[in-house]
Amino acid sequence: MQAAAAAYIEEYCDDIQTELDKSLRDGKRELEQAQARIRKLDDIIQRLYEDNLEGKVSDERFARMTANYEEEQKGLESRVAELKKLLAAEKDRSVNVDHFLTLVRKYTDVQELTAEIVREFVEKVYVYQAERIDGQKVQRVRIVWNCIGEFTPPTVTNTEKSA
């Protein structure tokens, strides 16, 4: 049973890691595109300025075009800052998943639950008021794990229990 739970957790963490890797790739690609566009806009504004100096572009046209390009550039710079924060957070989350997997591997054959193990794995535990469902007392518990947040394990069916 413990080996099956550990295997499921590893698979779950692998899925999270795959999602994080895709998110990081997509974020990096968008960041690079935004930075390239910012550089391109700098070049366009420079050429536009030179064209204005040479009389190829009127002052009014120069002012309108420059304002539009600068507005686009400010939006891109804001997005670049946002993407950098997002990528840093995703990298931290990726490290947390790796750390959690290390803990899972460390404690795959736990015979006794100790306070140390609980502290390493559990961030928060929510215990809800007991209820009667179909004549049985049921108490819902929600666990928020360190490193990966809330996790819902698979339910075990009667055929799995007997196997």
Side-chain angles (χ1 to χ4, degrees):
M1 176 80 167
Q2 286 177 344
Y8 179 80
I9 290 171
E10 284 218 32
E11 183 179 323
Y12 176 78
C13 289
D14 287 344
D15 290 346
I16 290 173
Q17 191 64 53
T18 301
E19 288 176 29
L20 286 170
D21 290 344
K22 183 184 181 313
S23 177
L24 282 169
R25 268 192 320 274
D26 293 347
K28 285 178 184 176
R29 186 178 323 113
E30 185 181 350
L31 178 64
E32 288 168 2
Q33 289 171 347
Q35 289 172 328
R37 180 64 181 162
I38 288 170
R39 288 188 299 274
K40 177 96 171 153
L41 287 171
D42 281 337
D43 292 343
I44 290 170
I45 292 170
Q46 178 66 35
R47 278 187 265 125
L48 189 59
Y49 175 74
E50 290 169 2
D51 287 348
N52 178 257
L53 286 178
E54 295 173 6
K56 295 178 183 177
V57 175
S58 70
D59 289 342
E60 297 83 28
R61 183 86 171 140
F62 171 75
R64 277 196 313 270
M65 292 176 76
T66 303
N68 288 340
Y69 287 133
E70 286 177 349
E71 185 179 324
E72 180 183 354
Q73 199 170 35
K74 283 180 184 174
L76 286 169
E77 287 169 350
S78 172
R79 182 64 181 152
V80 162
E82 188 180 304
L83 284 168
K84 285 181 178 179
K85 286 181 187 175
L86 180 71
L87 289 172
E90 294 290 306
K91 284 179 184 175
D92 287 346
R93 195 166 164 226
S94 180
V95 168
N96 286 342
V97 170
D98 288 338
H99 177 68
F100 188 78
L101 277 175
T102 302
L103 286 176
V104 168
R105 289 182 190 115
K106 179 179 173 183
Y107 294 111
T108 53
D109 193 27
V110 173
Q111 301 300 318
E112 180 182 338
L113 188 61
T114 64
E116 175 191 354
I117 294 171
V118 171
R119 278 191 298 275
E120 284 195 78
F121 276 100
V122 178
E123 180 179 326
K124 297 176 189 172
V125 177
Y126 297 95
V127 180
Y128 297 89
Q129 187 170 349
E131 304 174 297
R132 288 234 175 252
I133 299 177
D134 296 331
Q136 290 190 336
K137 184 178 177 182
V138 177
Q139 189 158 17
R140 197 166 65 102
V141 175
R142 192 177 90 191
I143 300 172
V144 179
W145 303 92
N146 283 325
C147 310
I148 64 167
E150 196 167 338
F151 162 75
T152 306
T155 55
V156 179
T157 62
N158 286 335
T159 47
E160 289 174 342
K161 288 180 185 177
S162 61

